[in-house]
Amino acid sequence: MVNGEKERVSLLFMKALVSRGSVDAVSQQMASHPQYLESFLRTQHYILHMDGPLPLPYRHYIAIMAAARHHCNYLVYLHSAQFLRVGGDPVWLQGLEAAPPRLRLLDHINKVLAHQPWLTACSHIQALLKAGEQCWSLAELVQAVVILAHCHSLCSFVFGCDTDSDPASLSKSPNGTPPTFCPFDAANGNANVPQTLATPSEHITRRRSLDSSCDMVCLKEKIQKSQEEREKREERLLQTQGLQQTDMEEEEEMICFADPTRFITDPDLCYQEFARREEDHFQVFRVQDYSWEDHGFSLVNRLYSDIGHLLDDRFRSVTTLPSMHSPDLKRAIWNYIHCVLGIRYDDYDYGEVNQLLERDLKLYIKSVACFPDATKTPVCPLSLAPLKPSEQIHVNLLIMEARLQAELLYALRAITQYMIA
């Protein structure tokens, strides 16, 4: 990275350290592309922490449900810890059956979007919006769908970058408490963060606004000052906390390491080859009939204020990143992912996919996009070893964003069909 990009990444990481005392493993992986990282963090912070129709515990529980579909221990653990920090009921973490009925109603659309999004239908939306006392509002459902799609696609990135198998990303923090979190990033691993910055008192709510023009000296002073303040608070807490607090922390830690299978039903449901034959019931999703630019963007932005702009910025950022990959290659990757998920572009020559993407690369892309948890089994040894690390990250970012947009298109089209029915 050139000096300007390094300073940009340093500023993002400094903000995270000042605000919460941690830099998550996912952000560290994305740091080679600071322009995209900034867009990603902004979007994730908005959907998980900012104003919206869903309570904070609901948001993180939905994220747990989404990550569990791909058996992503990394995200299940991290969102479980954050769920507790925002006041979630620990009983819910015993499993999906312990969650409120309204959350359990999301189970079907969660597993369909995760594995076979082309099955998403107007009837699924109607079932959620007309469920009697447990019904969802349209605004709540849209936010829930955005969180589901965001976490499903993030699972692809986590597994593609091998973050889920990194013991450091799931390590315990001091005094038996879960790791702390960036304010704008709930997918947090606390990897390589000094223990003095990862203190149990960190879940005390504290928001800071940093001027982007503040120089590094100022930021370091803020870090030192905030660290001293945290240490003082920790000393006071340790003086007042007894065995009861210790027991509670141990209970929280145990729950945070809950088996992801507790949060899923129908575990055998997985990705299947999208039907292409004329006699098959499911038709190809044609972008000319329903696209993000002409339909999805306006709908999601109307029902969930500003999220359309944030998502659109992510899609644009990942496709315009400086890269050794040619624009044609990046488009081939994007369109190939959409193709295996049943989405087609009438104005694209799919012969370019076979010309530009080698067989091993196609296998990698399809595996990470469609069944990421299976990519770490011995029978499927996939790797992007020939590519430079930053280029490997770029490929995984393209996979994540293309999958995210595909899931959103299917869900938003079903919502549109419900609204005009």
Side-chain angles (χ1 to χ4, degrees):
M1 290 187 293
V2 298
N3 290 336
E5 291 177 327
K6 289 182 179 179
E7 291 179 0
R8 190 173 188 175
V9 171
S10 296
L11 180 60
L12 288 171
F13 282 3
M14 287 292 185
K15 286 183 178 181
L17 289 169
V18 170
S19 300
R20 289 287 182 175
S22 63
V23 177
D24 64 280
V26 169
S27 293
Q28 293 182 49
Q29 293 278 12
M30 296 180 183
S32 57
H33 301 287
Q35 176 186 347
Y36 173 82
L37 173 61
E38 189 171 5
S39 178
F40 173 85
L41 293 178
R42 188 184 302 115
T43 305
Q44 184 165 248
H45 178 56
Y46 185 81
I47 64 176
L48 293 175
H49 299 282
M50 299 297 288
D51 292 342
L54 292 177
L56 296 183
Y58 267 52
R59 303 182 197 188
H60 292 287
Y61 199 87
I62 292 169
I64 294 169
M65 293 171 61
R69 286 308 314 182
H70 290 305
H71 303 89
C72 185
N73 295 299
Y74 176 84
L75 293 179
V76 169
Y77 165 67
L78 297 170
H79 282 288
S80 296
Q82 188 71 344
F83 169 81
L84 294 173
R85 287 196 180 90
V86 297
D89 187 346
V91 174
W92 297 8
L93 296 182
Q94 295 177 2
L96 190 60
E97 70 282 352
R102 293 185 75 228
L103 284 171
R104 296 201 301 269
L105 285 175
L106 286 177
D107 179 58
H108 187 73
I109 197 169
N110 176 32
K111 60 189 178 185
V112 167
L113 284 174
H115 304 295
Q116 300 176 30
W118 54 87
L119 296 178
T120 309
C122 176
S123 58
H124 300 146
I125 305 303
Q126 183 175 1
L128 289 164
L129 297 179
K130 296 186 176 181
E133 294 182 357
Q134 307 301 330
C135 69
W136 289 69
S137 71
L138 200 53
E140 289 174 331
L141 180 56
V142 169
Q143 186 178 17
V145 163
V146 170
I147 294 173
L148 289 174
H150 169 81
C151 290
H152 291 155
S153 60
L154 187 55
C155 286
S156 289
F157 182 84
V158 167
F159 281 106
C161 294
D162 212 21
T163 304
D164 196 64
S165 63
D166 181 9
S169 66
L170 292 174
S171 61
K172 300 177 184 179
S173 56
N175 302 316
T177 57
T180 53
F181 288 73
C182 292
F184 41 69
D185 190 6
N188 217 314
N190 246 12
N192 301 322
V193 177
Q195 290 190 355
T196 54
L197 294 178
T199 61
S201 62
E202 193 55 35
H203 51 75
I204 296 177
T205 302
R206 182 165 56 87
R207 291 284 189 268
R208 289 184 182 269
S209 175
L210 293 181
D211 187 345
S212 60
S213 63
C214 185
D215 60 20
M216 303 304 291
V217 175
C218 177
L219 286 170
K220 290 179 180 179
E221 290 177 353
K222 288 177 179 288
I223 291 175
Q224 183 177 1
K225 183 178 179 180
S226 62
Q227 180 179 338
E228 292 173 354
E229 292 174 352
R230 282 194 298 271
E231 290 174 349
K232 291 179 181 179
R233 287 198 300 269
E234 182 182 4
E235 290 177 1
R236 291 195 295 267
L237 285 173
L238 290 175
Q239 292 173 357
T240 58
Q241 289 175 337
L243 293 176
Q244 182 178 2
Q245 177 65 21
T246 302
D247 293 340
M248 183 180 67
E249 289 171 351
E250 291 177 352
E251 179 185 0
E252 288 183 358
E253 181 180 352
M254 178 186 67
I255 294 175
C256 285
F257 281 104
D259 185 351
T261 58
R262 296 182 181 183
F263 303 99
I264 63 174
T265 63
D266 197 4
D268 294 330
L269 181 67
C270 61
Y271 173 81
Q272 295 180 353
E273 295 290 336
F274 179 77
R276 294 183 178 87
R277 295 170 298 174
E278 293 182 0
E279 63 267 23
D280 287 322
H281 175 70
F282 302 107
Q283 296 181 348
V284 171
F285 186 119
R286 299 197 178 278
V287 174
Q288 281 67 23
D289 298 329
Y290 196 95
S291 68
W292 168 257
E293 294 80 6
D294 297 332
H295 306 89
F297 170 83
S298 59
L299 177 64
V300 75
N301 220 41
R302 177 158 56 94
L303 297 175
Y304 185 11
S305 179
D306 294 330
I307 192 60
H309 293 290
L310 293 170
L311 290 168
D312 196 60
D313 185 60
R314 277 178 62 173
F315 299 146
R316 294 178 186 275
S317 293
V318 78
T319 55
T320 58
L321 285 176
S323 171
M324 292 177 61
H325 303 315
S326 68
D328 289 341
L329 180 60
K330 288 188 283 189
R331 188 182 184 195
I333 293 173
W334 187 279
N335 288 358
Y336 176 62
I337 296 166
H338 279 194
C339 180
V340 297
L341 295 175
I343 299 175
R344 305 275 289 191
Y345 296 79
D346 289 344
D347 59 352
Y348 182 70
D349 179 9
Y350 284 87
E352 291 188 7
V353 171
N354 291 329
Q355 294 175 6
L356 297 172
L357 303 182
E358 296 181 359
R359 184 181 181 277
D360 289 345
L361 179 56
K362 288 175 64 178
L363 177 61
Y364 177 89
I365 292 170
K366 186 174 182 179
S367 298
V368 173
C370 301
F371 32 90
D373 44 316
T375 65
K376 297 306 160 191
T377 62
V379 297
C380 190
L382 300 176
S383 174
L384 289 176
L387 298 178
K388 293 181 179 180
S390 64
E391 296 303 313
Q392 294 179 23
I393 297 297
H394 192 188
V395 170
N396 285 317
L397 291 177
L398 284 167
I399 294 172
M400 176 174 67
E401 292 302 322
R403 180 183 177 183
L404 171 62
Q405 188 179 96
E407 288 193 28
L408 289 175
L409 283 174
Y410 278 113
L412 294 173
R413 184 182 67 169
I415 292 173
T416 299
Q417 293 170 343
Y418 169 82
M419 294 175 66
I420 64 178

